[in-house]
Amino acid sequence: MAHEPTPSSTPHAPRKSDGLLRIALALFAIGFVAIVAIFLTPVVSDSEPGLVLYLIALACPIGFLLGIVAALRQGRRAR
């Protein structure tokens, strides 16, 4: 008798939302590190954080919003 794999044990192909979630997590992490660097810059040195650091910090809310979009898209497919 052949053993058929159960649906929970079969590997699923990566979906487009999985890639979107990975991008969202990466953007959020990069933005979070930039925010921490903004607060640590005056402590470590006497200079103020540069404009580039503030622009990189904008990746945090963008990643957060993309994460919400990815979660909503995955929730629709699960139904």
Side-chain angles (χ1 to χ4, degrees):
M1 190 186 265
H3 177 27
E4 295 181 23
T6 59
S8 62
S9 67
T10 56
H12 63 79
R15 295 180 285 190
K16 186 177 178 182
S17 301
D18 291 342
L20 184 63
L21 185 61
R22 289 177 193 254
I23 292 170
L25 287 173
L27 284 174
F28 185 82
I30 291 168
F32 186 76
V33 169
I35 291 170
V36 170
I38 288 171
F39 284 107
L40 289 180
T41 300
V43 173
V44 175
S45 67
D46 292 333
S47 64
E48 294 182 11
L51 177 64
V52 174
L53 206 52
Y54 286 107
L55 293 176
I56 294 172
L58 289 174
C60 192
I62 292 170
F64 182 74
L65 291 175
L66 281 177
I68 291 173
V69 169
L72 290 174
R73 292 178 86 189
Q74 285 180 352
R76 283 190 193 162
R77 289 184 182 163
R79 290 183 183 181

